[in-house]
Amino acid sequence: MTMPILPKHHPSDERLLDYATGAAAEPMALVIATHLALCARCRHEMHHLDQLGGVLLDDAPQETMSAGCLDRLFARIELPHPPIEIEEPAPMPAINRDIPQPLRHYLDRPLSDMPWRKRGAISELELLPEVSNHATRLLWIRSGAAAPRHTHEGSELTLVLKGSFWDGHGHYGCGDIAEADSDVDHRPIAGDDEDCLCLTVTDAPLKLTSPIGRLINPFLKI
Ligand SMILES: [Zn+2]
């Protein structure tokens, strides 16, 4: 019997609302949708957002959203979480069967056959190259290895698909989402017990913040 995945770190309410309304760019939507496939709690939140959206549209189509409206909206849907039910997993084809949909939909070959770019202990696989202003990558980080210390000029969403990482701010396991922005300076380190596979999206370049990293920032294309 496989253990259920119970994520501890979830997308912010704003991220879920962007996803629910279709305002999220495709790369960000891909991260949220893949998290939803792993997280019964957020599926429950989305269900209420959908219900509430329908009620708002029915009740007051002429109203615009005023300041504070979003807070009141979320206050209304702060419902106690029901017991988390894990659905019986659907039979998966052999190809990438450990990768949840909808991410699997973006992979046309087994992960091992994809064109990974190796950088030391970290391998990168670019996804959605046609979407400008976003970098969408799968990262495979060898157990115990560290990514370069960096901060962000925009937003970064990272979803753990396998293994775990620690970045000095939190410990993220399978299904967890880490959100970071220009206030966060971190150095993700994969757990010692197994390699870490994660999906990460940024909407602006990263800035390396170690002494050596600052020297090579001008030459980076990330
Ligand atoms: Zn969640």
Side-chain angles (χ1 to χ4, degrees):
M1 182 179 147
T2 51
M3 292 290 288
I5 295 169
L6 299 174
K8 295 186 180 69
H9 299 274
H10 307 271
S12 63
D13 291 339
E14 288 75 12
R15 293 278 178 204
L16 287 179
L17 192 63
D18 276 355
Y19 176 80
T21 58
E26 185 179 2
M28 295 296 185
L30 173 61
V31 175
I32 300 301
T34 307
H35 173 78
L36 288 172
L38 298 170
C39 182
R41 169 181 153 165
C42 285
R43 288 199 299 273
H44 177 68
E45 295 281 351
M46 286 298 300
H47 179 65
H48 283 285
L49 277 178
D50 287 343
Q51 282 185 326
L52 204 55
V55 169
L56 287 176
L57 284 173
D58 289 346
D59 286 356
Q62 75 283 10
E63 283 186 14
T64 56
M65 196 167 271
S66 61
C69 179
L70 194 59
D71 289 341
R72 291 193 295 278
L73 186 67
F74 283 118
R76 285 173 59 186
I77 59 171
E78 282 294 323
L79 303 174
H81 296 294
I84 292 177
E85 296 174 13
I86 302 299
E87 295 172 6
E88 195 65 32
M92 291 185 183
I95 179 170
N96 298 329
R97 64 175 177 272
D98 294 334
I99 304 294
Q101 289 284 26
L103 175 59
R104 202 180 335 144
H105 176 72
Y106 287 75
L107 306 170
D108 59 357
R109 282 165 280 171
L111 268 189
S112 55
D113 293 346
M114 300 292 280
W116 293 88
R117 184 169 57 180
K118 206 164 181 340
R119 292 181 173 183
I122 302 176
S123 297
E124 291 183 7
L125 177 65
E126 187 181 8
L127 302 174
L128 291 171
E130 69 279 10
V131 179
S132 59
N133 303 323
H134 288 78
T136 309
R137 303 183 187 93
L138 279 173
L139 296 181
W140 193 292
I141 308 172
R142 203 180 302 150
S143 61
R149 174 169 286 283
H150 64 272
T151 186
H152 321 79
E153 293 186 354
S155 301
E156 177 186 72
L157 277 187
T158 302
L159 170 65
V160 178
L161 300 164
K162 176 181 184 298
S164 64
F165 75 85
W166 159 259
D167 70 351
H169 300 274
H171 181 269
Y172 300 89
C174 188
D176 282 338
I177 279 201
E179 289 198 49
D181 57 20
S182 57
D183 292 334
V184 176
D185 186 322
H186 62 172
R187 181 172 181 249
I189 302 173
D192 285 330
D193 47 345
E194 64 175 321
D195 292 355
C196 179
L197 174 67
C198 51
L199 171 65
T200 182
V201 173
T202 54
D203 61 7
L206 302 180
K207 279 168 61 179
L208 301 187
T209 50
S210 68
I212 293 176
R214 279 196 287 270
L215 288 175
I216 62 174
N217 264 326
F219 307 102
L220 280 181
K221 290 183 178 172
I222 56 177

